[in-house]
Amino acid sequence: MATTKPGERKLQILQTLAAMLEHPKGERITTAALAARLDVSEAALYRHFASKAQMFEGLIEFIEGTVFGLINQISEQQENGLSQVQAITGMLLNFAERNPGMTRVLIGDALVNEDERLQHRMNQFVERVELAIKQSLRMAVSQGEAKEDEVAVRANLIVAMVIGRWHRFAKSGFKLKPTENAQAQMAMVLV
């Protein structure tokens, strides 16, 4: 029997959980179903995670690390504030499109019957995304491309649009792509 390297089984558990979230049938994902999918015992899951909430925290950590790492890259590479906003928005929509299971975590669907601190953490994630967009819009103000008094409202509108597109994607069974017509809509929002 092949042995797994430290961390490999933990990653495999998280990947399987994310894959299960891509095929929701309305039922709650249980540790028993996750263990069966991995062909391991529930006890094996608990050797890597103290609880199912910790498994979801692992997915949230992946989301946060990926998204904020990419926001930092965009901020460093793009000198124009409005270009940063467009790139960040595009990245958020592309991330969801490439990671349907994670989209259910982003919108809180997968967290409904879980520990409420998980939803609180996702709410903080959205607040941090909005803050990053505000920073880019403030840069656009300093570059004469936006109005200072519109920064907060515009950032909130952009985040609401992104969340709405995530919801639409998840609720359509991942058929209605969040990136569809997004650039044209962003152009309207940023005028």
Side-chain angles (χ1 to χ4, degrees), residues 1 46 80 90 92 95 111 118 128 133 162-163:
M1 185 172 147
Y46 290 115
N80 179 281
L92 291 168
F95 178 84
L111 308 175
L118 298 171
R128 287 176 60 202
I133 291 171
V162 167
I163 292 170

Side-chain angles (χ1 to χ4, degrees), residues 95-150:
F95 178 84
E97 197 167 305
R98 290 185 180 126
N99 300 284
M102 299 294 188
T103 303
R104 292 196 55 229
V105 176
L106 287 166
I107 66 171
D109 251 18
L111 308 175
V112 169
N113 295 315
E114 304 303 331
D115 191 309
E116 67 185 46
R117 81 177 187 282
L118 298 171
Q119 184 59 58
H120 178 72
R121 189 164 171 185
M122 287 313 306
N123 294 344
Q124 288 178 320
F125 166 84
V126 170
E127 289 170 11
R128 287 176 60 202
V129 166
E130 188 169 338
L131 182 61
I133 291 171
K134 280 181 187 174
Q135 289 173 334
S136 296
L137 287 171
R138 284 192 188 103
M139 179 183 282
V141 168
S142 72
Q143 295 167 338
E145 295 185 342
K147 296 177 185 174
E148 178 65 42
D149 60 341
E150 295 178 356

Side-chain angles (χ1 to χ4, degrees), residues 22-38:
E22 289 181 28
H23 305 287
K25 293 183 181 111
E27 74 268 7
R28 189 172 175 206
I29 294 175
T30 63
T31 53
L34 180 58
R37 178 78 69 92
L38 287 161

Side-chain angles (χ1 to χ4, degrees), residues 9-75:
R9 177 63 77 181
K10 193 172 187 174
L11 180 61
Q12 185 182 33
I13 292 167
L14 293 176
Q15 288 171 335
T16 303
L17 176 58
M20 289 174 77
L21 289 169
E22 289 181 28
H23 305 287
K25 293 183 181 111
E27 74 268 7
R28 189 172 175 206
I29 294 175
T30 63
T31 53
L34 180 58
R37 178 78 69 92
L38 287 161
D39 199 27
V40 298
S41 68
E42 282 185 81
L45 295 178
Y46 290 115
R47 280 195 284 277
H48 299 282
F49 295 97
S51 64
K52 189 165 71 163
Q54 256 191 13
M55 293 176 207
F56 278 106
E57 283 175 343
L59 292 179
I60 293 170
E61 285 169 13
F62 170 80
I63 292 167
E64 290 172 336
T66 302
V67 167
F68 291 114
L70 290 170
I71 286 174
N72 289 338
Q73 283 180 15
I74 290 166
S75 298

Side-chain angles (χ1 to χ4, degrees), residues 77-93:
Q77 294 169 357
Q78 296 280 346
E79 293 180 15
N80 179 281
L82 291 183
S83 295
Q84 283 183 11
V85 173
Q86 288 174 319
I88 290 169
T89 305
M91 176 273 298
L92 291 168
L93 297 174

